[in-house]
Amino acid sequence: GVVKIRKGLSCKLIRKTNSLEEVHDVFFQFASAVLKRATANQQKAEVYDPSLARTIKICNTICELTEESHKKQQRAKIIPIALAVGV
């Protein structure tokens, strides 16, 4: 399948990702969002998607591969806030 991204979102992604870790962070966030929706749909009996199990497996793999970079980016976002507050 094809994933389409709106222009505004693609501009934000380009501006936000200046390193490989930032790219991994974005992949983690998108995969987590897709995984959350896919898991919710899996629990609904009336939703039929033949590729649902494959989608969940791929999202889990992406999350596993990018989790460390995501954690580093989360810590990097917290440090400037803590310094500004004076903690």
Side-chain angles (χ1 to χ4, degrees):
V2 176
V3 176
K4 294 184 179 184
I5 299 176
R6 295 177 187 221
K7 283 187 217 178
L9 181 57
S10 65
C11 289
K12 285 181 185 179
L13 292 175
I14 290 168
R15 291 187 66 218
K16 186 179 177 183
T17 53
N18 297 315
S19 70
L20 186 58
E21 284 192 344
E22 291 170 338
V23 172
H24 286 178
D25 183 41
V26 170
F27 268 77
F28 182 87
Q29 291 175 19
F30 275 111
S32 295
V34 171
L35 182 60
K36 183 177 178 181
R37 291 186 77 182
T39 304
N41 283 339
Q42 186 180 36
Q43 294 173 356
K44 295 178 184 177
E46 69 270 4
V47 176
Y48 176 73
D49 183 356
S51 62
L52 187 62
R54 185 172 174 230
T55 300
I56 290 172
K57 182 179 177 184
I58 291 169
C59 287
N60 279 325
T61 301
I62 292 170
C63 287
E64 287 172 14
L65 293 172
T66 59
E67 185 174 18
E68 188 61 36
S69 292
H70 172 70
K71 288 179 181 179
K72 286 181 184 178
Q73 288 301 310
Q74 293 302 101
R75 285 191 297 265
K77 292 175 187 175
I78 292 172
I79 292 172
I81 293 171
L83 293 174
V85 174
V87 175

